[in-house]
Amino acid sequence: MSALSMPDAGPARGNMVAIMSGVERKGVWSAAAHVNAVAVMGGIDLDFTRCSLSAMETVINVMAIMGGVEITVPLGMTVIVDGVGIMGAFVDNANQRYGPEAPVLRVRGMAIMGGVEVKSSKKQIGG
């Protein structure tokens, strides 16, 4: 199975929690179709460059309170960011849109005195 392929069966939901600590997913890993990411005075680092997806659309619900979430995406993945920063930032630095055949990463949520950043790895899917 190649990176960013849709396996026959994968986790539907996943949770990542960093409270005064950190969570990191890099290299080859599998992402659930729906992910809840909570960073409270901690950090979460997700790199989708070599990730296997469970569905064509992956939704990440983010809550960053005095913490940070950094999401890295490969070229070829559509990114839709819909979040609010309150005394913080919710930023889409990837600005990637592709056709209907491309996998979609939808990031939504809130950053309170914290930050959420989506950025491009500048590598192709699976690279």
Side-chain angles (χ1 to χ4, degrees), residues 4 7 19 27-28 31 42 44 62 74 81 105 118 120:
L4 289 179
I19 300 173
V28 178
I44 298 176
V62 177
V81 176
L105 180 67
V118 181
S120 176

Side-chain angles (χ1 to χ4, degrees), residues 16 41 50 53-54 88 105 119:
M16 296 180 184
M41 296 176 67
R50 297 179 56 209
L53 302 174
S54 298
L105 180 67
K119 63 183 183 176

Side-chain angles (χ1 to χ4, degrees), residues 2 14 20 42-43 74 76 83 85:
S2 64
M20 297 177 69

Side-chain angles (χ1 to χ4, degrees), residues 48-118:
F48 283 86
T49 306
R50 297 179 56 209
C51 178
S52 293
L53 302 174
S54 298
M56 281 300 289
E57 179 170 301
T58 302
V59 178
I60 302 178
N61 295 309
V62 177
M63 176 61 71
I65 302 171
M66 295 172 55
V69 177
E70 185 175 291
I71 301 168
T72 305
V73 296
L75 296 174
M77 175 182 268
T78 293
V79 178
I80 300 168
V81 176
D82 185 25
V84 176
I86 300 173
M87 294 176 59
F90 211 105
V91 181
D92 177 8
N93 286 325
N95 296 312
Q96 296 181 181
R97 300 286 188 275
Y98 297 94
E101 71 287 346
V104 175
L105 180 67
R106 186 177 303 270
V107 182
R108 55 187 179 197
M110 185 175 294
I112 302 171
M113 296 175 65
V116 176
E117 179 186 11
V118 181

